[in-house]
Amino acid sequence: MSAKDKFHDVVKLGLQKDGWTITDDPLRIEWGLVELYIDLGAEKIIAAEREGQKIAVEVKSFLGQSTISEFHTALGQFINYRFALSQEQPERILYLAVPSDTYETFFKLPFPQTIIQQYQLRLLIYDIENEVIVRWLN
């Protein structure tokens, strides 16, 4: 199991403030004799529908020297995790959590935008200082 991302607890608290219950920290998935650990599993009960929404969240900080290199890694993890979830927990929707400053400076560029559309990435944008989720992108 890998170490927690620097902003793991920020995203966890942001999800809780948004009404989510953290069910797994981390969420362990095993498929094809490979163990995968997604940073967070969460659930939100929707009273009107009497059924819950379930998500998995992979948290990224993008604090390294090369944002594009970290993007490559995050994209690879996202694709692998989404596949494993589709096999083992298909009711869960996977999100990639990214800091709002990285979203504004990098993720809005044409290259990342095209990749996001091509691979249908779902993003969760979080504010580090206020420890809140500021945007969900499907």
Side-chain angles (χ1 to χ4, degrees):
M1 182 169 32
S2 60
K4 288 183 180 179
D5 185 272
K6 179 173 177 140
F7 299 126
H8 178 94
D9 290 333
V10 169
V11 174
K12 183 176 176 178
L13 183 58
L15 286 168
Q16 291 170 326
K17 286 179 179 179
D18 207 28
W20 292 88
T21 300
I22 304 302
T23 57
D24 301 273
D25 184 4
L27 174 61
R28 181 184 173 277
I29 302 287
E30 184 174 337
W31 197 88
L33 303 176
V34 173
E35 287 182 5
L36 302 169
Y37 294 90
I38 303 170
D39 289 321
L40 295 167
E43 184 173 9
K44 191 173 197 177
I45 302 300
I46 304 169
E49 297 177 17
R50 292 192 178 185
E51 60 183 63
Q53 290 180 314
K54 292 184 178 182
I55 61 172
V57 179
E58 180 59 20
V59 180
K60 293 297 173 199
S61 64
F62 290 92
L63 293 174
Q65 291 185 359
S66 173
T67 304
I68 191 71
S69 179
E70 290 191 48
F71 180 65
H72 293 318
T73 300
L75 178 62
Q77 281 181 301
F78 187 92
I79 291 168
N80 290 334
Y81 292 168
R82 184 170 58 191
F83 171 77
L85 281 172
S86 75
Q87 303 300 302
E88 296 298 315
Q89 295 187 26
E91 71 282 3
R92 252 185 227 281
I93 298 170
L94 179 62
Y95 285 87
L96 178 64
V98 299
S100 57
D101 60 339
T102 303
Y103 177 74
E104 294 298 328
T105 59
F106 177 76
F107 277 78
K108 285 188 171 181
L109 297 174
F111 180 78
Q113 280 294 303
T114 303
I115 297 298
I116 289 165
Q117 291 172 4
Q118 176 73 31
Y119 290 97
Q120 300 174 350
L121 271 67
R122 294 174 185 259
L123 301 178
L124 182 158
I125 315 303
Y126 62 93
D127 180 318
I128 297 164
E129 290 183 25
N130 296 311
E131 299 179 324
V132 294
I133 308 305
V134 294
R135 196 162 175 198
W136 296 80
L137 297 173
N138 295 317

